[in-house]
Amino acid sequence: THLTNFLGTPSGIPDFRTPGSGLYDNLQQYNLPYAEDIFEINYFHHNPNPFFAFAKELYPGNYQPNLTHYFIRLLHDKGQLLRMYTQNIDGLERMAGIPPNMLVEAHGTFATAKCTVCRRDYRVEELRNDIMEGTIPKCPTCKGIIKPDIVFFGEELPQQFFTYLTDFPIAHLLIVMGTSLEVEPFASLAGAVRGSVSRLLINRDLVGPFAWGSQRHNDVAELGDVVSGAKKLVELLGWKQELEALMNVGGDKTSVNKEE
């Protein structure tokens, strides 16, 4: 059984902090003190427009899973995935066909939403027209703002995050990909596996315990582009043809839906 912890996505999604990207430029009109304010819950209640400009850019379907997502999907298909822990909110894991019950979306998801006043639940499809038209989605029941189930600064992590308390003690391998390992409490998960468990980092830089001088004797780091690193691992495992076949088919929705 493997525990896979995947974070970053080189699927063409723009970094909202990067000057020159369309998303960054779109946010400039709001004169945000900091780009991260779009994820501050108090700022959201004051002015939800910047967040929904971001939501329009990141709306499910605008981007496609890449090789790393399908690698995780292949681990699942082979019965080797214990759980995938992610800070991503782009939903690409689900699009690759990884069942929701195999995911811990620690920073939430765009797949579902909730009224900020009456707490009525919504599916993301119900918000699509408003988000795409640049209109703030409002609850027809109480007229409150409907917010996708993304975890904002100032909000608690979803209860599912604490699944790590039972997952990590039984993991046989931890794979960490595409992350700075700077945001807590998620970053500390890298140290939650048993000392005898190998940890594989596939990343551009050494991060977290791989960089702090607290490495373990069985830690391995493959530095460079995440997709290239995952591809190299797949080739070493002899799974290249299987992965290519999976990617040609795309996310098999039956895999997603059967365990919703």
Side-chain angles (χ1 to χ4, degrees), residues 158-195:
Q159 194 63 33
Q160 193 182 10
F161 172 76
F162 298 98
T163 304
Y164 84 87
L165 292 170
T166 51
D167 278 348
F168 277 65
I170 62 173
H172 291 176
L173 172 68
L174 176 69
I175 303 176
V176 181
M177 293 197 285
T179 177
S180 64
L181 281 186
E182 291 181 350
V183 179
E184 295 290 358
F186 196 96
S188 293
L189 292 182
V193 291
R194 292 166 293 144

Side-chain angles (χ1 to χ4, degrees), residues 127-147:
L127 313 185
R128 179 181 174 85
N129 289 341
D130 282 338
I131 289 176
M132 290 304 171
E133 292 172 5
T135 303
I136 304 300
K138 298 287 184 68
C139 177
T141 301
C142 73
K143 306 307 178 184
I145 295 174
I146 302 171
K147 171 184 162 293

Side-chain angles (χ1 to χ4, degrees), residues 20-22 26 44 71 99 107 110 122 132 148 152 156 162 181 199 205 229 240 242:
S21 76
N26 287 340
F44 176 85
F71 165 57
H107 289 181
F110 272 104
Y122 291 87
M132 290 304 171
F152 278 48
E156 294 183 359
F162 298 98
L181 281 186
R199 301 183 299 186
D205 306 292
K240 182 179 178 181
E242 290 176 87

Side-chain angles (χ1 to χ4, degrees), residues 12-14 22-24 26 51-63 110 131-132:
I13 297 173
L23 184 51
Y24 181 94
N26 287 340
F51 171 76
F52 282 105
F54 174 83
K56 180 179 180 179
E57 179 68 33
L58 204 64
Y59 191 87
N62 287 356
Y63 299 93
F110 272 104
I131 289 176
M132 290 304 171

